[in-house]
Amino acid sequence: MGEAAKEPPRPGRRGGAGIALAVSVAGLAVVAVLTFLLWPLADLIAAHDVEHLTGPERGKELRVARDAARGRVIQVLAGVLALGGFVYTARTFNLARQQSELNRQTLELAMLQAREQTEATRRSLEQSENAQLTDRFMRAVDQLGNEAADIRLGGIHSLERIARDSPRDHPAVMEALAAFVRRTSQSRPGAATQVPQDLQAAMTALARRLADADQGRLRLHGARLDRLDLVGADLAGADLSGAVLAGADLTAADLGGATLTGADLRGARLDGARLGGARLDGVLLKAAGLRGADLIGAELGGADLGGANLQRARLTGVRAVRAGFARADLTEADLTRADLTEADLSGALLRDGGLAGAVLRRATLSGARAERLSAAGADLAGAVASDTCLTQADLSGCDLTDANLSGAELRQARLDGVDLTAVKLAGLDLTDAMAADGARVPSGWQRAPDGRLARRPS
């Protein structure tokens, strides 16, 4: 029983003993080889080297030859070991290089797989997002046609959010909102005083859109937008032809390059608005507020700005042929190089304004107040400026051919280079007007040495 109960030798112990035995045998073999090389072999080499010697010298030379032989053996062994080390090192380096190349290829493969996985994930997410956006867009558009105002408002806000989340869908969203504005606004009662909340919300969304994502102009032609709050709205380049904006608040709005042909802006507030390059042909701007507005280069042919407030407005280079400015306030307004052919400026306030180089052929300025007006070089041929106050105005170099200045007041005005002989002058007051050499003074008036005009003594 005792012998049967003994544990059999474990495989691990048996393997360890085998390795130890192999190491011992190898060690003994190395010792045996070294012993053979350094003693018997060295003795044989030494004996061979001194075999030709005899006598007492043989013993001495044998010892020297034996040491030399052992040195040569050691040198050979060292060379063999060095060669072995070099071979081992070269093999190790080659294996390391192969392993490095394998690692690089493995890394590149892993990176390629990661990129492919990332791209696949991105495409999947993009498809999912597009599907969600499409679903959101369709639901929001459906909400715009709902009878409940609250649901329509929710649809408008959803569309605006989609436009901000997805620049690609921005043009489609703006087109949907513009169509909603056109449809909804045109169904408003004619005498309505309340602005529908959904209409205001839709216009607010359009007005604060990301203009850089537009792929076309906003199409709001014929829309009824009267009395809407559009302060600071970005409507640059929009098509608002025939739109009704009467009483709307467009203070500081951007309408640069917009088309407002035939639009109704009566009583609208456009103080500080940007209308540079806008098409305003035939527009109704009666009693509108345009203080400090920018209308540089705008088209105002046939527009009606009667009674409008244009104080300090910039109208440089506007084309306002046959436009109406009757009783408009153009105090300090800049109309330099404006084309006001046949325009109606009767009763207008032009104090401290600028009309230098402007064209006012056959324009009407009757009853206008134009003190200190700067109109040097303006073309006033055939203009009617009867009863106009031009005190201290600068009319140097103006063309007044066939102009009607009956009853006009030009006291202390500058008339350098002006021909007043072909002007209707009944009741004209030129007292203290300045006319340098080159001006042609009408009969009944004379020029003093200092250039001042005075009536000739009877």
Side-chain angles (χ1 to χ4, degrees), residues 185-198:
S185 67
Q186 289 168 359
S187 64
R188 293 174 65 186
T193 57
Q194 290 284 346
V195 176
Q197 287 185 330
D198 52 352

Side-chain angles (χ1 to χ4, degrees), residues 187-212:
S187 64
R188 293 174 65 186
T193 57
Q194 290 284 346
V195 176
Q197 287 185 330
D198 52 352
L199 178 60
Q200 178 66 66
M203 275 305 301
T204 300
L206 289 171
R208 62 189 179 198
R209 74 197 188 285
L210 300 174
D212 291 341

Side-chain angles (χ1 to χ4, degrees), residues 37 41-43 45-46 49 64-74:
L37 293 175
L41 181 61
D43 289 344
I45 294 171
D49 290 342
V64 173
R66 188 180 295 117
D67 291 340
R70 287 173 181 168
R72 290 197 296 272
V73 169
I74 291 172

Side-chain angles (χ1 to χ4, degrees), residues 157-175:
H157 294 312
S158 295
L159 285 172
E160 185 178 13
R161 180 62 181 272
I162 291 170
R164 293 190 177 276
D165 290 345
S166 175
R168 186 183 63 181
D169 296 313
H170 183 277
V173 170
M174 295 303 115
E175 180 58 34

Side-chain angles (χ1 to χ4, degrees), residues 333-413:
D334 185 0
L335 286 148
T336 304
R337 298 185 303 281
D339 187 352
L340 295 159
T341 302
E342 299 182 16
D344 182 6
L345 290 142
S346 56
L349 296 178
L350 290 157
R351 294 188 183 97
D352 300 302
L355 277 164
V359 178
L360 293 112
R361 284 178 171 270
R362 299 179 298 283
T364 302
L365 294 100
S366 300
R369 303 287 303 183
E371 295 92 334
R372 298 173 300 280
L373 176 69
S374 176
D379 185 352
L380 287 152
V384 177
S386 55
D387 301 316
T388 302
C389 181
L390 290 159
T391 301
Q392 298 180 4
D394 185 0
L395 299 174
S396 302
C398 285
D399 184 356
L400 294 171
T401 305
D402 296 327
N404 184 353
L405 295 173
S406 299
E409 187 175 318
L410 279 84
R411 288 184 301 165
Q412 301 179 23

Side-chain angles (χ1 to χ4, degrees), residues 194-428:
Q194 290 284 346
V195 176
Q197 287 185 330
D198 52 352
L199 178 60
Q200 178 66 66
M203 275 305 301
T204 300
L206 289 171
R208 62 189 179 198
R209 74 197 188 285
L210 300 174
D212 291 341
D214 286 346
Q215 290 185 357
R217 1 177 28 191
L218 285 181
R219 295 187 296 167
L220 296 167
H221 48 276
R224 283 199 53 202
L225 307 174
D226 40 309
R227 291 181 294 281
L228 261 68
D229 181 359
L230 297 170
V231 175
D234 183 359
L235 296 171
D239 181 4
L240 287 156
S241 55
V244 179
L245 288 151
D249 192 347
L250 288 152
T251 302
D254 187 356
L255 289 156
T259 299
L260 289 146
T261 304
D264 184 354
L265 285 152
R266 288 175 294 181
R269 296 182 59 184
L270 290 146
D271 298 331
R274 295 181 290 280
L275 290 148
R279 295 295 303 273
L280 296 158
D281 305 271
V283 71
L284 296 176
L285 279 162
K286 293 188 70 170
L290 289 149
R291 289 200 309 172
D294 178 2
L295 290 122
I296 296 173
E299 298 283 341
L300 283 160
D304 186 355
L305 293 98
N309 187 342
L310 289 148
Q311 292 180 13
R312 296 184 299 281
R314 298 185 296 281
L315 294 125
T316 306
V318 298
R319 291 177 55 84
V321 178
R322 291 185 294 278
F325 292 90
R327 295 176 302 283
D329 189 349
L330 289 153
T331 303
E332 297 183 42
D334 185 0
L335 286 148
T336 304
R337 298 185 303 281
D339 187 352
L340 295 159
T341 302
E342 299 182 16
D344 182 6
L345 290 142
S346 56
L349 296 178
L350 290 157
R351 294 188 183 97
D352 300 302
L355 277 164
V359 178
L360 293 112
R361 284 178 171 270
R362 299 179 298 283
T364 302
L365 294 100
S366 300
R369 303 287 303 183
E371 295 92 334
R372 298 173 300 280
L373 176 69
S374 176
D379 185 352
L380 287 152
V384 177
S386 55
D387 301 316
T388 302
C389 181
L390 290 159
T391 301
Q392 298 180 4
D394 185 0
L395 299 174
S396 302
C398 285
D399 184 356
L400 294 171
T401 305
D402 296 327
N404 184 353
L405 295 173
S406 299
E409 187 175 318
L410 279 84
R411 288 184 301 165
Q412 301 179 23
R414 293 209 63 90
L415 299 166
D416 300 339
V418 176
D419 184 359
L420 292 168
T421 60
V423 177
K424 295 179 183 178
L425 302 169
L428 177 66

Side-chain angles (χ1 to χ4, degrees), residues 108-124:
E108 286 183 354
L109 180 60
M111 291 176 63
L112 179 61
Q113 291 175 342
R115 283 197 297 268
E116 290 177 350
Q117 183 64 33
T118 302
E119 182 63 20
T121 303
R122 186 191 65 77
R123 285 197 299 267
S124 177

